[in-house]
């Protein structure tokens, strides 16, 4: 965790080293002296201990209340507190009587997935208090409540990406809003580059799993203090993409007769906004990645943390070049959005059929109760 420093002193480290929030067993307060060692390393000692401390380090007085304040600031700015997210959820709940069961995130060029929704009530992101705005072409920036195949749903026409300058926690914050609005399922979609040589432009990849490469570098949407009202500190990710929904998707794809254009594979998200080098793509392929994009992974981690059931698919908008003499054109966003538009009807049909099938399952389950 970064950002908790005063004059180069790591406040969190100091706090952790100095006991409980209310002072130590001897009644001393938690205001303490942090020492900045000459070599740049930081160490801390309690106020009382420090009276006898006679070394050369520079001493900085650290106020407990200030530490708490700074922590709150960082949590609100980057992670959004439970209360703030609840406020955003309440904004919707007070303005619509629709209580969605499924949340849909429309990927680049896939805004039209929301065209299948009826009885809509739409909210522009710019009008929603404390909500970020979409800055990417192909992302409208609207939250749409309504009905799809008779199911109450909410769709995000536009998501937030790390490369737009939002921290990961903020990129995936809307997932928590949707959770507090009441959804049980998250259907995420994205545009991605096809790395598996079998994939063609316009194909669909049902996401079977992901590799959280940004997480390898220590960047996670769950970084920072954990609020157990959302979920546990250490959530498992072994069933990140619900196996029953993957099975259902296989069946739906067969019914649609598009099984030759649909695959199951592993997605990864890189920070972007640049597309990948040939060397990077070769490495990703060796790692087992089938499709590469710039979203979804942090949304799914956030969704699983708060116990949402997840389904996701990627539209393959370009083929990734894994050799320098490749005849593939350079990836570009115009093409990504264009392919999205040209495949909107097939993606829309897949989404509608999945939801129709799921609605039947839910009805059956409720009937049995
Ligand atoms: O929002 P998604 O993941 O569908 O958008 C992809 C990733 C980048 O935002 C963009 C690159 O063209 O498309
Ligand atoms: N990272 C990445 N994101 C994409 N989104 C659509 N195509 C691509 C791609 O080739 N790479």
């Amino acid at each position: 965790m970064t950002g908790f420093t005063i004059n180069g002193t790591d406040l969190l480290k100091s706090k952790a080293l100095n006991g409980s929030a209310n002072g130590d067993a001897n009644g001393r307060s938690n205001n303490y002296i942090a020492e900045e060692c000459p070599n740049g390393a930081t160490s801390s000692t309690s106020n009382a201990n420090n009276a006898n401390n006679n070394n050369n380090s520079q001493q900085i007085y650290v106020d407990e209340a200030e530490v708490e304040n700074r922590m709150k600031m960082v949590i609100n700015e980057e992670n959004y507190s439970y209360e703030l997210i609840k406020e955003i959820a309440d904004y919707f709940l007070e303005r619509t009587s629709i209580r969605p069961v499924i949340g849909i995130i429309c990927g680049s060029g896939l805004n039209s997935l929301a065209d299948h929704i009826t009885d809509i009530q739409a909210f522009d992101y710019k009008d929603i208090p404390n909500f970020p705005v979409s800055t990417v072409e192909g992302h409208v920036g609207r939250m749409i409540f309504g009905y799809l195949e008779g199911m109450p749903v909410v769709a995000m026409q536009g998501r937030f990406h790390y490369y737009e300058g939002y921290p990961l926690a903020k990129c995936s914050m809307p997932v928590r809003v949707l959770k507090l609005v009441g959804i049980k399922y998250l259907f995420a979609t994205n545009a991605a580059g096809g790395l598996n040589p079998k994939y063609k432009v316009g194909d669909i990849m049902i996401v079977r799993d992901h590799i959280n490469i940004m997480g390898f570098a220590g960047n996670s949407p769950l970084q920072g203090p954990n609020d157990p009202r959302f979920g546990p500190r250490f959530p498992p990710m072994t069933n990140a993409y619900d196996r029953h929904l993957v099975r259902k998707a296989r069946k739906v794809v067969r019914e649609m007769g598009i099984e030759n254009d649909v695959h199951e594979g592993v997605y990864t998200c890189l920070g972007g906004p640049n597309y990948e080098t040939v060397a990077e793509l070769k490495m990703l392929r060796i790692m087992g990645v089938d499709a590469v994009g710039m979203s979804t992974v942090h949304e799914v981690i956030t969704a699983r943390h708060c116990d949402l059931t997840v389904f996701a698919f990627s539209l393959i908008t370009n083929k990734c070049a894994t050799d320098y003499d490749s005849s593939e054109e350079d990836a570009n966003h115009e093409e990504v959005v264009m392919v999205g538009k040209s495949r909107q009807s097939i993606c829309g049909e897949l989404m509608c059929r999945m939801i129709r099938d799921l609605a039947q399952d839910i009805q059956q389950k409720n009937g049995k109760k």
Side-chain angles (χ1 to χ4, degrees), residues 57 78 86 151 155 188 200 260 293 296 303 305:
S57 59
E78 299 203 345
K86 175 101 178 42
M151 281 283 267
K200 310 180 295 296
N260 292 336
T296 308
H305 178 246

Side-chain angles (χ1 to χ4, degrees), residues 125 132-136 139-142 157-160 164 166:
Y125 291 168
V133 287
S134 293
T135 66
V136 187
H139 290 260
V140 172
R142 277 198 313 179
Q157 273 186 323
R159 59 151 58 91
F160 308 108
E164 291 175 78
Y166 300 121

Side-chain angles (χ1 to χ4, degrees), residues 49-88:
N49 286 346
N50 204 66
N52 301 324
N53 199 333
N54 195 14
N55 63 25
N56 292 333
S57 59
Q58 183 196 347
Q59 296 181 338
I60 302 160
Y61 182 76
V62 180
D63 184 273
E64 172 74 11
E66 177 67 10
V67 174
E68 293 293 327
N69 267 344
R70 299 258 175 145
M71 282 182 72
K72 275 191 197 133
M73 256 169 57
V74 172
I75 292 163
N76 285 342
E77 270 172 22
E78 299 203 345
N79 291 358
Y80 279 65
S81 67
Y82 184 93
E83 286 72 22
L84 190 56
I85 291 178
K86 175 101 178 42
E87 252 177 55
I88 303 173

Side-chain angles (χ1 to χ4, degrees), residues 191-193 270 275-276 292-294 317-318 320 331 336:
L270 299 186
Y275 297 103
E276 295 70 36
V292 55
M294 302 180 197
T317 52
N318 52 290
C320 295
V336 167

Side-chain angles (χ1 to χ4, degrees), residues 107-108 139 159 161 163 190-191 275 294-295 333 336:
S108 283
H139 290 260
R159 59 151 58 91
H161 306 84
Y163 61 77
N190 60 61
Y275 297 103
M294 302 180 197
S295 67
H333 190 62
V336 167

Side-chain angles (χ1 to χ4, degrees), residues 264-283:
E264 252 173 66
V266 174
Y267 174 88
T268 199
C269 162
L270 299 186
N274 56 289
Y275 297 103
E276 295 70 36
T277 65
V278 169
E280 286 162 352
L281 291 165
K282 279 182 175 172
M283 184 196 76

Side-chain angles (χ1 to χ4, degrees), residues 5 22 34 38 51 77 117 133 163 211 244 248 289 315 338 364:
T5 56
N22 301 318
E77 270 172 22
I117 302 176
V133 287
Y163 61 77
I211 297 182
H244 305 293
K248 190 182 290 303
V289 172
L315 175 66
M338 203 185 71
Q364 267 174 14

